[in-house]
Amino acid sequence: MGHLFGLSAGKRVFGLDVMRALAILIVVDAHSTVALKEYYDGAFWHHLLPDGVELFFVLSGFLIGGILIRTYEKNGRFDGGLLLNFWTRRWFRTLPNYYLVLTGLIALAVGRAWRSGLHHSLPAKGELLKYYLFLQNFARYVPDFFPETWSLAIEEWSYITLPLILWVLHVLMPARWPRQRIVLSAILLIIVGTNVGRLVAAVLTPISEGELGFRGIVVTRLDAISYGVLAAYVKHYFPAFWTNDRTRSRLAIAGLALIVLTSFTASIVILKYYVQAGIYPAYVFYKRTFYFPVIGLSMALVVPYMDGWRTATGLWARFGIARLITHISLISYSMYLLNLTPIMLTLLERFPTTSAAVGWTKVGVFWGLTMVLSTLLFAYFEKPVTELRERLSKKEPTLLTNEPVDR
């Protein structure tokens, strides 16, 4: 998943680094339990944690939304040139790393098959091509190969649709419409349109077919980053509200409470009680529809407080804690790409989990490899390649000298 990149410590917002680091740690922690097999006891505290991927979506939307709004307001227009520059900078940030890991996984599978004399277990060529175009889960759930890329596909398509809609509205809306109204219209069009589409599909499909995998399908999740974009809209157009300390604290408390409540009530630990109470069908319908805006908006409520946490102080600044958090934030995209399929499924799962001790050993190795290999991938490929975009695109505008914009 995307994250801030290449900024000096003075230009980073520590609170956003905390959010990003927390998001990737939750994701990697969930994947680490694969190593434990039947020895995983389903720790209760796991059911209180937010969805790390949804947190990524909201944070990404906040940063992307800020870039789009700043660009639109500074130029007073939104046209093909600005759109191409926006995509160039986004794609230099995300595509090279992704294509490197994807191609490496394919080459490894083919090489193993060649050595063993057996046919490889990869999807058909047509399916593999979809991965290069981010179509692997466009209208259905992602195949078993490299399954974690479902969220990256949703994010990439959001990068396409949001600025396109903004451009179209800028062209079609009356000249007397202020840019603020056009921005809000673009955000609401995506949020309302996607939610209406999901609602219609949920109503037309029998409850017996379950949650329908809506969480991981591009066309049913185009609103995923829009709740973060809505936060960016509030920050830009209502700065007094955004920077009010009391408001920030109250929103953060409400957001955290709602996140924990939503996470717990949607966890598997409580499903049996829904069945016993006879409300399981209602729960399934909720997970198809209203769950997504609820979790998105609840996480967006926390963003003002975290955005106001500009630097690490007190205990956070001691013992290298802040430095570690910033480092994890920087390498989070590499961690996302490497942790599950390349490290856990391709490497560690070759060693069977025969006991709890073996399982926990694999968990320790998994975390160590994820941190080390992600650091190397970031330092020797992700960072140098991303820096190339400065030669091929224009730097996007900032409102504050200490506000991060490179994304």
Side-chain angles (χ1 to χ4, degrees):
M1 306 288 287
H3 56 280
L4 295 179
F5 164 77
L7 300 175
S8 65
K11 293 184 178 181
R12 300 188 68 84
V13 176
F14 183 67
L16 301 184
D17 277 343
V18 170
M19 290 184 70
R20 190 176 300 101
L22 178 63
I24 191 60
L25 291 175
I26 290 172
V27 170
V28 176
D29 173 65
H31 293 162
S32 72
T33 61
V34 172
L36 295 173
K37 294 294 187 286
E38 68 270 22
Y39 301 100
Y40 174 60
D41 59 3
F44 181 79
W45 63 273
H46 275 169
H47 302 294
L48 302 178
L49 290 175
D51 187 319
V53 175
E54 300 300 327
L55 188 55
F56 265 126
F57 283 149
V58 170
L59 181 58
S60 178
F62 175 65
L63 298 171
I64 288 299
I67 290 170
L68 285 173
I69 292 170
R70 288 190 294 266
T71 300
Y72 189 28
E73 287 290 352
K74 180 176 181 179
N75 292 277
R77 70 184 197 285
F78 205 81
D79 55 25
L82 294 175
L83 192 65
L84 181 60
N85 189 71
F86 173 84
W87 284 337
T88 299
R89 294 187 68 83
R90 303 293 79 72
W91 288 336
F92 256 93
R93 178 66 192 85
T94 57
L95 299 193
N97 233 22
Y98 170 68
Y99 287 144
L100 175 68
V101 177
L102 173 61
T103 304
L105 286 172
I106 294 172
L108 180 61
V110 172
R112 281 183 173 178
W114 178 76
R115 288 199 310 271
S116 65
L118 302 174
H119 192 270
H120 63 74
S121 58
L122 291 168
K125 292 179 181 178
E127 287 295 317
L128 288 178
L129 179 60
K130 290 181 180 179
Y131 279 84
Y132 286 91
L133 302 174
F134 295 99
L135 294 171
Q136 63 266 40
N137 59 314
F138 189 79
R140 61 183 177 85
Y141 200 72
V142 67
D144 290 337
F145 175 71
F146 212 1
E148 60 268 41
T149 59
W150 67 269
S151 53
L152 183 59
I154 290 171
E155 192 160 326
E156 293 297 329
W157 279 101
S158 297
Y159 294 169
I160 294 173
T161 55
L162 176 63
L164 272 178
I165 290 174
L166 182 61
W167 184 17
V168 170
L169 289 179
H170 174 76
V171 172
L172 296 182
M173 291 301 102
R176 65 179 182 275
W177 269 41
R179 288 186 290 275
Q180 179 180 347
R181 183 184 299 179
I182 293 175
V183 170
L184 182 60
S185 298
I187 298 169
L188 293 181
L189 184 61
I190 294 174
I191 291 177
V192 174
T194 306
N195 277 277
V196 168
R198 275 198 308 261
L199 183 61
V200 170
V203 170
L204 295 178
T205 308
I207 291 294
S208 59
E209 295 191 22
E211 296 177 21
L212 304 177
F214 279 176
R215 175 176 181 260
I217 300 174
V218 170
V219 294
T220 61
R221 296 302 313 279
L222 284 176
D223 63 328
I225 76 166
S226 295
Y227 305 103
V229 179
L230 191 60
Y233 169 86
V234 175
K235 176 180 179 177
H236 183 89
Y237 294 108
F238 302 94
F241 176 85
W242 186 269
T243 56
N244 184 280
D245 289 337
R246 178 176 294 183
T247 300
R248 281 174 165 172
S249 298
R250 289 177 175 177
L251 290 177
I253 293 171
L256 287 173
L258 191 56
I259 288 169
V260 172
L261 179 64
T262 304
S263 300
F264 178 68
T265 55
S267 67
I268 60 173
V269 74
I270 203 170
L271 291 187
K272 62 180 180 181
Y273 299 107
Y274 295 147
V275 175
Q276 293 170 3
I279 60 173
Y280 182 71
Y283 165 79
V284 172
F285 186 78
Y286 165 71
K287 283 299 293 290
R288 293 179 179 182
T289 54
F290 304 114
Y291 168 79
F292 300 111
V294 168
I295 195 65
L297 288 172
S298 65
M299 290 178 173
L301 291 176
V302 181
V303 174
Y305 182 87
M306 301 304 284
D307 184 52
W309 190 0
R310 312 303 290 188
T311 58
T313 57
L315 182 63
W316 293 96
R318 300 176 187 174
F319 313 114
I321 297 175
R323 191 180 308 167
L324 177 62
I325 289 173
T326 299
H327 179 72
I328 292 173
S329 175
L330 282 169
I331 67 171
S332 60
Y333 184 45
S334 291
M335 290 176 68
Y336 157 79
L337 289 172
L338 292 179
N339 82 96
L340 181 58
T341 298
I343 295 176
M344 178 60 78
L345 302 182
T346 304
L347 179 61
L348 294 181
E349 281 300 273
R350 301 185 70 185
F351 303 93
T353 302
T354 56
S355 67
V358 171
W360 283 109
T361 300
K362 288 171 65 175
V363 168
V365 173
F366 169 70
W367 275 101
L369 287 176
T370 297
M371 292 298 296
V372 171
L373 295 181
S374 299
T375 299
L376 293 174
L377 180 60
F378 171 80
Y380 295 105
F381 184 78
E382 181 182 342
K383 182 178 179 180
V385 171
T386 304
E387 288 173 346
L388 292 176
R389 71 181 181 178
E390 302 305 330
R391 306 177 189 174
L392 302 174
S393 63
K394 295 180 180 178
K395 195 172 184 65
E396 290 154 324
T398 61
L399 292 178
L400 300 171
T401 56
N402 65 338
E403 183 173 59
V405 296
D406 277 336
R407 173 73 174 62

